[in-house]
Amino acid sequence: MTEFLGSAWWLVVSLGILVTIHEFGHFWVARRCGVRVLRFSIGFGGALWKRFGRDGTEYRIAAIPLGGYVKMLDEREADVPASEAAQAFNRQTVWKRIAIVAAGPAANLVLCFVLLWAMFVIGRPDYAPVLGPASGIAADSGLRTGDRVLAVDGRQTPTWMELQMALLPAALDRADVPLQVADAQGAERTLDLRLSQLPPDFDQRQVIRSIGLVPRHFTIPADVGRVLPDGAAWGTLAEGDRITAIDGRPVERFDDIGPLLQALGERGGDAMVEVTRDGERLAFPLAPREITDDAGNRRFVLGIEAPGSIELPPKDALQQYGPVAAVPVAARELGHLTGQLAGMIQRAFTGRLALENTVAGPLTIARATNAYASQGVAWYLTILALLSLSIAILNLLPIPLLDGGHLLYYLIELVKGSPLSERAMAAGQYVGLVLLASLMGLAFYNDILQLVR
């Protein structure tokens, strides 16, 4: 229940900020172009709060906090007195109308830059991109435990999130990508991560796992979480024991235990299992027992399980810059994120991005926003910047009813020298309704998929 309330709260707060800035862009430019604004609304439906400003504009907060709008004086919507006709939106030059419509997405782009700048100034803590045990494609490509990924295809990756973001596009394209890597001793080398070997149906929501990468901070310590009754370790090992060696072979992670037991089981006999318990070093002779798993594979086990909950270590990487140095960094990040998001839209149309990953619904956005906000201010600014950029780009798509659709109308007007006919614009509105309804349906479908998984 707490997670639900937190998600709902951060969704309302985030959408409120983003919509207010977007609509303020339209409002501010419209006023400077001489257009009278009748209403500035955050949300839809009945008004929870409203007041009229000295400029005659009605400012309101409405009951449904999933959008907003700016209503301008327009002769196509209602009769306008002759004395006010010059202030009507439809009477403005095409260039003024373009400026007013484009101001909403532009405001979101500016907000994205400001949020990124603030995030870099505050400093975003994260984990260093250091690898735990590599497997699959990662191991075949030459990555090893303790490697730090310095750059992906020339782009520096100072944190684990930066590494994930850099690998995602190449993984979706199933294209090999060069990595600059430093081993645990600091020796640097370059290798190709063979993402072309990813299967066509790999889980796009688990890109890192599909590649075979494991972050060092997610490595499970070799602690005994539970001893299974009647198992080989029952009555000998205890919950909380940390296994340090098996038959003289050092154990650093829980994943090290399985291969060592398998080798011992094939050989037969007891093995000395060394543990630390309450600061004391102990050793016990234990013989692994053979079992057959659900897939019919023979395995040798001690009858222990890993801890149910693992406390993550402190974050050991920080992206932080001074107020001046953060300006060009934020500008570069804005350009990079814009290119990545545009690329995702292109991949969605070409089928390289799975349908369930194309459009996020309000439930998914709420949960993501809550998860980011729980990590601190800098992380919340990160998700808010990404959402602001998404709103800007999606609104520029040439879909009628969106800002991009209106801009398309005005560009056609510039080319042909006269506005589109009302019939053509009405047809476009119907097409826009169908497209938007389809997008909303897909978003809610994806939300449902997330809930049932």
Side-chain angles (χ1 to χ4, degrees), residues 131-315:
L131 306 182
S135 61
I137 293 172
D140 293 341
S141 299
L143 290 170
R144 300 291 179 262
T145 302
D147 282 346
R148 176 189 289 263
V149 182
L150 305 175
V152 175
D153 198 17
R155 177 175 171 81
Q156 293 185 345
T157 53
T159 66
W160 189 261
M161 181 183 179
E162 291 289 337
L163 174 61
Q164 291 179 294
M165 295 282 286
L167 288 177
L168 177 59
L172 293 176
D173 295 338
R174 297 173 63 229
D176 295 347
V177 63
L179 304 185
Q180 184 181 353
V181 177
D183 63 21
Q185 287 71 44
E188 296 187 14
R189 67 189 191 279
T190 300
L191 54 86
D192 285 332
L193 186 60
R194 302 166 190 164
L195 299 181
S196 57
Q197 297 180 4
L198 281 168
D201 58 347
F202 78 95
D203 188 351
Q204 296 179 353
R205 294 179 182 270
Q206 300 288 340
V207 168
I208 294 297
R209 182 180 299 176
S210 299
I211 296 171
L213 295 174
V214 176
R216 179 184 61 183
H217 59 275
F218 264 38
T219 300
I220 302 174
D223 294 343
V224 178
R226 178 172 173 243
V227 182
L228 301 180
D230 299 325
W234 179 253
T236 303
L237 300 184
E239 180 180 341
D241 285 351
R242 171 160 292 186
I243 298 176
T244 57
I246 295 178
D247 205 28
R249 302 283 185 89
V251 173
E252 297 180 359
R253 300 171 296 273
F254 201 88
D255 290 340
D256 294 337
I257 297 173
L260 292 176
L261 293 180
Q262 192 69 20
L264 288 172
E266 297 289 350
R267 189 188 66 196
D270 290 350
M272 294 302 296
V273 178
E274 301 175 35
V275 304
T276 57
R277 178 185 299 171
D278 299 326
E280 185 180 0
R281 298 182 64 181
L282 305 172
F284 305 99
L286 289 172
R289 293 184 183 175
E290 182 180 343
I291 65 170
T292 302
D293 60 24
D294 294 337
N297 300 315
R298 293 171 58 243
R299 293 194 299 119
F300 292 89
V301 299
L302 289 177
I304 60 173
E305 293 180 349
S309 61
I310 301 169
E311 184 177 349
L312 294 176
K315 294 178 177 178

Side-chain angles (χ1 to χ4, degrees), residues 399-401 427-440:
I399 298 175
L401 296 181
Q429 299 292 79
Y430 284 118
V431 172
L433 280 172
V434 171
L435 290 174
L436 286 180
S438 300
L439 285 174
M440 291 177 63

